[in-house]
Amino acid sequence: MPIGGESNIEDATHAATDASYQRTTAEMSRLHWTFIQGQFTEQVTNMWCQNGTFDELNRKMGYRYQLVSGIYSDQVEAGGEMSVNLQIRNAGYAPLYNERPAYIVLRNTEEWYAIQLESDPRTWLPNGAVSSIAETLRVPAIVPAGAYDLYLFMPDAYESIAEDARYAVRFANANIWDEATGMNKLNASVTVTDSQS
């Protein structure tokens, strides 16, 4: 279950030893911290801000997914199968706790088609672990022939906010987040051809 807390250290000497970056990150990593309350005593958070470690600790709170690599089919028939092989690192202290679907999205300038992965993002382990997701996906038969960019989309599981990009999971990689849609661009494409059957 999610864990978090606060510091009650008020003495600067104790803060420097008991809340050093090395000790803090080791403890937060071991216990899978998701949040920290920074206003109970400010001695520690002020120290972190002054020595430049606050941002690093804050970035690792909870989950922090990074796309390491991806291999995908270059071409597939509509209604046929495409292979997806993803390497995803969770650089955060914690796993994702709530149920959340993950989709590979085929998208062009006019339309997009989402295909759900079987992999459960809650199993993508934290603390720098790299998860391998290798799946064969069925491309919907209704997808028109053409070239499509590939995206990874992880919307909220609740239907009422599933289409709100603010609740989608944003990967930590630079230049892949699409703020308008909440999708992460995989910097790859696939060509869909008409079915031969």
Side-chain angles (χ1 to χ4, degrees):
M1 60 187 303
I3 184 173
E6 58 197 13
S7 170
N8 64 352
I9 299 173
E10 297 181 356
D11 178 80
T13 302
H14 287 160
T17 56
D18 297 342
S20 68
Y21 174 77
Q22 291 77 11
R23 185 166 183 173
T24 300
T25 196
E27 189 74 359
M28 290 180 172
S29 174
R30 184 174 71 87
L31 296 176
H32 307 302
W33 276 49
T34 299
F35 68 92
I36 189 165
Q37 207 289 72
Q39 296 175 337
F40 185 65
T41 63
E42 297 181 352
Q43 181 68 46
V44 171
T45 51
N46 287 343
M47 180 188 73
W48 289 338
C49 290
Q50 290 166 6
N51 66 22
T53 60
F54 180 82
D55 288 343
E56 181 67 18
L57 292 169
N58 195 43
R59 276 193 293 269
K60 291 184 175 181
M61 287 290 161
Y63 59 84
R64 182 175 173 82
Y65 294 132
Q66 301 167 333
L67 178 67
V68 177
S69 65
I71 301 172
Y72 321 93
S73 298
D74 294 327
Q75 183 171 305
V76 62
E77 288 184 8
E81 294 180 337
M82 69 175 288
S83 62
V84 172
N85 193 319
L86 297 168
Q87 300 286 311
I88 295 174
R89 175 185 293 112
N90 183 355
Y93 294 131
L96 189 146
Y97 290 100
N98 294 331
E99 181 180 0
R100 185 177 287 265
Y103 299 92
I104 294 295
V105 175
L106 283 65
R107 178 179 165 197
N108 61 19
T109 55
E110 299 176 358
E111 305 176 279
W112 57 278
Y113 301 88
I115 309 167
Q116 187 167 355
L117 294 169
E118 292 182 7
S119 182
D120 185 342
R122 292 174 294 181
T123 66
W124 302 350
L125 299 178
N127 296 318
V130 176
S131 297
S132 297
I133 298 97
E135 297 191 21
T136 301
L137 306 179
R138 177 73 63 181
V139 174
I142 61 170
V143 177
Y148 293 84
D149 290 325
L150 296 177
Y151 291 79
L152 181 60
F153 184 38
M154 294 172 61
D156 198 280
Y158 284 96
E159 186 176 344
S160 60
I161 55 175
E163 295 183 12
D164 191 327
R166 295 173 298 172
Y167 296 95
V169 171
R170 177 179 181 172
F171 273 49
N173 305 71
N175 303 318
I176 69 170
W177 175 246
D178 185 330
E179 186 175 1
T181 63
M183 297 182 194
N184 299 281
K185 190 170 184 177
L186 297 174
N187 295 317
S189 62
V190 63
T191 298
V192 177
T193 61
D194 288 326
S195 173
Q196 299 302 308
S197 60

